[in-house]
Structure formats: structure tokens, C-alpha cells
């Protein structure tokens, strides 16, 4: 019987590569996306089921939960990966962006974990992995709202780990400089790497390997693992 996974923000970057890796391992995969269909068509061609939801809209999230619940009785893995990365200037000038930061990183994961609790509990190894950030511990003054929202998700990880045990485990991964954005110029990249002890851009494979580690070790819950080349030691 196939194991089932739900990855949010599955159309690009880490969500996309993780989704491909899970499909290659034989998972039945629900690949969430919002407005951008980037990468989703490829995942569908590999066997994924695309599920659309706007994470700033509670009814949209609940509709996605209903769709998934009607399609499967159990979920082995839920990865809350969807994100919006807005700096202070953006959220100070756009109330919708400010609200989205907390809705996408806080409200949506809460509703998904709560709404899919029954399916996660039906699995032999139900696991939630929340993608937080190294800035959840040491916030950046340039991304105050974003860091606060990710810190809330880190706290939620521990709360749900206590609440859902022993049937469901809940952990977090804190990425650092795993994959620079296209808008990051050479100067920015060099500055970040100068602040990273291992001095390399990590790539996505270390994140995928950490998902596998948390999945395959059944005695870990309520933990956050930094995948950051040591940058959390420096900031």
C-alpha cells in the first residue's frame, strides 16, 4: 500500500525537489500550490495530485483539507513548506502582505495539522515537518514580521508535538543558505557565505536528507534541526 504525503508550496525550490524525491520513493503525493503552477504540471506528470489553496483564505484551506480527506484515510507525512518572504518595507506599505506573512506561516499550518490530525493518526508513522528558519531563534531586523511568524511556527511545532503524541510526531527544519534567490547579487551571496562556517551554498539535497532522517527515526519529536552550514552560530 502506498504511503501518502502532502507538501505545501510544492511548485518550486525545496517543495518541488522534495515532491519529486517522494514520488520517486513511491509515495502518493498531494502537491499544494496557490496561484503559481510552476513545477506542478511536471509533478502531475510523475503521478502527483495537485491541490490548490490560497493560504490567506481559511475557507480555501478547509476546502483543500476536505478534498484530501475524501481521497485518503491516512497521511504519513505532512510538510508545511509554503512561504512568503517579505521585508519590513513591503509589509509596512502593504497590509495584505503583512497579514499574509502570519497567515501562511502560522494560521495555515495550524489548520492543516488540526484538520488532518485524523489521517495522520491513522498512519503507522504519522509525521509533520514544519519548515521554519534559523531566524526564528535570532531574528533579522530587516524581516521582523517574517521572523516573528516563523518563530510562532517553531513554537507551534513543540505544542503540537506534545498534543499529538504518541500517534503523531511533529518536528521542524531550520534552513539557512541552502539556495540563493535569483535577486541575490554576488555581493550579498559573498556576505552570507562569509557568515557561514562551512562557506558553501548548501543546496536542496541536505534538506531532503533531513526529511528522510526525521521520517526514519521514530524516536524524535518536538525538535528543530538546523540545516544551515553553521550560519546560526554566527548571526
Amino acid at each position: 500500500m502506498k504511503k501518502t504525503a502532502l507538501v505545501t508550496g510544492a511548485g518550486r525550490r525545496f517543495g518541488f525537489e522534495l515532491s519529486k524525491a517522494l514520488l520517486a520513493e513511491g509515495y502518493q503525493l498531494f502537491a499544494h500550490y496557490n496561484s503559481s503552477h510552476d513545477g506542478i504540471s511536471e509533478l502531475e506528470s510523475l503521478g502527483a495530485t495537485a491541490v490548490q489553496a490560497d493560504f490567506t483564505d481559511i475557507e480555501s484551506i478547509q476546502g483543500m483539507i476536505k478534498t484530501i480527506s475524501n481521497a485518503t484515510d491516512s497521511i504519513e507525512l505532512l510538510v508545511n513548506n509554503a512561504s512568503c518572504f517579505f521585508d519590513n518595507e513591503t509589509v509596512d506599505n502593504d497590509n495584505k502582505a503583512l497579514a499574509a506573512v502570519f497567515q501562511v506561516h502560522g494560521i495555515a499550518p495550524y489548520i492543516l495539522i488540526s484538520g488532518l490530525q485524523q489521517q495522520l493518526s491513522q498512519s503507522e508513522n504519522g509525521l509533520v515537518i514544519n519548515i521554519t528558519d534559523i531566524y526564528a531563534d535570532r531574528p533579522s531586523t530587516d524581516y521582523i514580521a517574517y521572523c516573528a511568524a516563523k518563530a510562532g511556527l517553531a513554537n507551534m511545532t513543540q505544542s503540537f508535538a506534545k498534543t499529538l503524541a504518541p500517534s503523531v510526531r511533529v518536528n521542524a527544519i531550520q534552513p539557512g543558505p541552502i539556495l540563493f534567490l535569483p535577486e541575490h547579487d554576488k555581493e550579498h551571496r559573498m556576505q552570507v557565505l562569509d557568515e557561514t562556517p562551512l562557506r558553501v551554498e548548501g543546496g536542496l539535497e541536505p534538506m531532503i536528507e533531513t526529511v528522510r532522517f526525521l521520517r526514519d527515526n521514530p524516536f524524535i519529536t518536538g525538535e528543530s534541526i538546523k540545516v544551515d552550514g553553521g550560519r546560526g552560530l554566527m548571526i
Side-chain angles (χ1 to χ4, degrees):
M1 182 177 179
K2 280 191 174 183
K3 295 180 178 180
T4 302
L6 165 61
V7 177
T8 69
R12 58 193 295 269
R13 293 172 63 83
F14 171 64
F16 176 69
E17 294 298 333
L18 174 63
S19 295
K20 286 203 298 182
L22 293 173
L23 287 166
E25 293 181 18
Y27 276 81
Q28 175 187 358
L29 180 77
F30 292 97
H32 159 263
Y33 70 102
N34 179 17
S35 57
S36 174
H37 208 264
D38 292 350
I40 296 297
S41 295
E42 181 176 344
L43 295 177
E44 288 181 302
S45 73
L46 296 172
T49 299
V51 283
Q52 190 278 334
D54 178 355
F55 279 4
T56 68
D57 181 343
I58 289 178
E59 290 185 359
S60 183
I61 303 168
Q62 291 171 334
M64 186 180 84
I65 290 172
K66 183 176 181 180
T67 296
I68 294 171
S69 298
N70 288 338
T72 183
D73 294 328
S74 68
I75 294 175
E76 278 70 27
L77 178 62
L78 164 60
V79 181
N80 284 310
N81 166 71
S83 183
C84 54
F85 189 57
F86 298 140
D87 61 13
N88 295 348
E89 182 179 0
T90 300
V91 301
D92 288 346
N93 291 285
D94 186 344
N95 290 336
K96 289 184 178 180
L98 176 60
V101 168
F102 291 95
Q103 292 163 334
V104 171
H105 301 123
I107 293 174
Y110 182 91
I111 294 173
L112 286 171
I113 295 169
S114 299
L116 295 172
Q117 178 180 342
Q118 181 177 346
Q119 283 74 22
L120 288 160
S121 298
Q122 290 298 313
S123 167
E124 294 182 1
N125 184 29
L127 172 64
V128 177
I129 297 178
N130 295 321
I131 307 302
T132 59
D133 198 290
I134 56 174
Y135 286 120
D137 296 329
R138 298 171 182 256
S140 165
T141 56
D142 295 327
Y143 293 86
I144 293 174
Y146 169 83
C147 295
K150 286 292 193 178
L153 182 56
N155 183 276
M156 191 189 305
T157 298
Q158 295 180 332
S159 297
F160 271 120
K162 290 192 287 186
T163 302
L164 301 185
S167 59
V168 178
R169 296 183 297 117
V170 186
N171 292 291
I173 299 175
Q174 297 176 274
I178 57 170
L179 187 64
F180 288 115
L181 294 167
E183 57 263 32
H184 290 151
D185 59 27
K186 183 178 179 180
E187 182 179 354
H188 173 82
R189 296 179 188 213
M190 292 305 299
Q191 179 183 345
V192 169
L193 295 180
D194 283 344
E195 297 171 349
T196 303
L198 295 186
R199 301 184 68 82
V200 293
E201 181 182 10
L204 297 176
E205 189 59 30
M207 289 283 292
I208 295 171
E209 287 298 328
T210 306
V211 170
R212 293 185 177 118
F213 167 74
L214 290 170
R215 176 194 64 190
D216 296 340
N217 190 323
F219 203 55
I220 298 177
T221 196
E223 290 297 325
S224 292
I225 298 179
K226 290 182 173 64
V227 183
D228 68 344
R231 188 160 190 256
L233 301 170
M234 309 296 288
I235 60 175

